[in-house]
Amino acid sequence: MNILSIQSHVSYGHVGNSAAVFPLQRLGHEVWPVYTVNFSNHTGYGAWGGSAIAATEVAAIVEAMAARGALAQVDVVLSGYQGGADIADVILAAVARVKALNPAATYTCDPVMGNARSGCFVNPAIPTLLRERVVPAADLITPNQFELGFLAGVTADTLETTLSAADAVMAGAPETGQRGPRAVLVTSVERPDREPGTLEMLAIDAQGAWIVQTPQLPFKANGSGDVTAALFTAHYSPRFGQPGAAADALARTTASVYELLLRTQQSGQRELQLVQAQEAYVNPGQHFAVRRVR
């Protein structure tokens, strides 16, 4: 596949495109990264160098790629953290152009806003923008449980409420003609009745819903959501919406990400051991059972 990935960039560490591009390439995909910010490191350090890239510059890069005939070759558009509210227009315009040239192309949106522990950590205008304009244009979204709750306007905590929230987002707003995404991957599902010391992910599409459970590793890994969104997109998109596609993509993604996180924890390093764990993307040694929940 040819993947146009519009995300942030850091020189040190692995978040945004700095987390997504290499695993996708290791799986054999062609990735064309377009950066929305150019930082020295992720903002979790509290200090960084660099700046957000102006929306006009991002648009100019996409326009020049179009002039080379690249947009007609794109199979998937992937977007993540948006440095400013005006980037959404550029992303949506790129998606529309890609789909006009290749109607089979899909758009994956990782609606980065925050998490249950930290709350929202993006520009205050972005969550509403994601909910009202960007997510409805996506085919696949990959929110965490907190972000899904915001998108649906509900509290998503139990399995039932999380499934209902995903259904609500996928339904869109038929009364206004606004469609919703066709598939949802919910990362970092923390329902109160799960087994202690575990973490889950949930995949939902028109074929059903599936959940997978892994041990919860006791550390924070910036960029793991970006890797998760990229890997699930890579595994799911070639069979988008087909029977078994979501369950298979969920199993493969979970195995790879868990092995990456385990290797990172064992290294004692703060940053993801993205290169060191590269075999896990192609041939993970970990395997977790995926269970159908409807």
Side-chain angles (χ1 to χ4, degrees), residues 4 59-73 97-98 101:
L4 176 63
I61 291 171
V62 174
E63 182 63 38
M65 292 177 69
R68 306 285 84 75
L71 296 191
Q73 303 174 54
R97 294 182 71 175
V98 166
L101 294 164

Side-chain angles (χ1 to χ4, degrees), residues 145 148 154-166:
Q145 200 172 20
L148 176 65
V154 301
T155 298
D157 48 11
T158 67
L159 177 59
E160 292 72 21
T161 57
T162 303
L163 285 169
S164 295

Side-chain angles (χ1 to χ4, degrees), residues 22-98:
F22 177 68
L24 291 170
Q25 291 174 328
R26 188 65 177 81
L27 285 170
H29 301 295
E30 187 71 49
V31 189
W32 300 326
V34 175
Y35 302 142
T36 57
V37 305
N38 184 26
F39 288 165
S40 57
N41 50 267
H42 67 71
T43 58
Y45 284 96
W48 61 92
S51 60
I53 297 174
T56 52
E57 184 172 341
V58 178
I61 291 171
V62 174
E63 182 63 38
M65 292 177 69
R68 306 285 84 75
L71 296 191
Q73 303 174 54
V74 172
D75 300 297
V76 177
V77 179
L78 171 64
S79 72
Y81 174 79
Q82 299 181 26
D86 52 356
I87 293 294
D89 288 329
V90 180
I91 293 172
L92 291 172
V95 170
R97 294 182 71 175
V98 166

Side-chain angles (χ1 to χ4, degrees), residues 166-241:
D167 289 341
V169 173
M170 292 171 68
E175 66 278 5
T176 63
Q178 185 185 66
R179 73 177 185 90
R182 294 184 285 155
V184 178
L185 173 70
V186 190
T187 63
S188 303
V189 175
E190 299 183 56
R191 55 192 176 104
D193 58 343
R194 74 189 189 280
E195 293 180 31
T198 64
L199 191 64
E200 295 169 319
M201 286 204 296
L202 182 66
I204 308 102
D205 66 7
Q207 304 298 324
W210 295 263
I211 198 166
V212 64
Q213 186 177 90
T214 70
Q216 185 170 18
L217 299 173
F219 76 108
K220 180 180 179 181
N222 293 90
S224 58
D226 303 317
V227 177
T228 301
L231 291 177
F232 189 86
T233 296
H235 296 315
Y236 184 72
S237 294
R239 298 172 56 203
F240 203 107

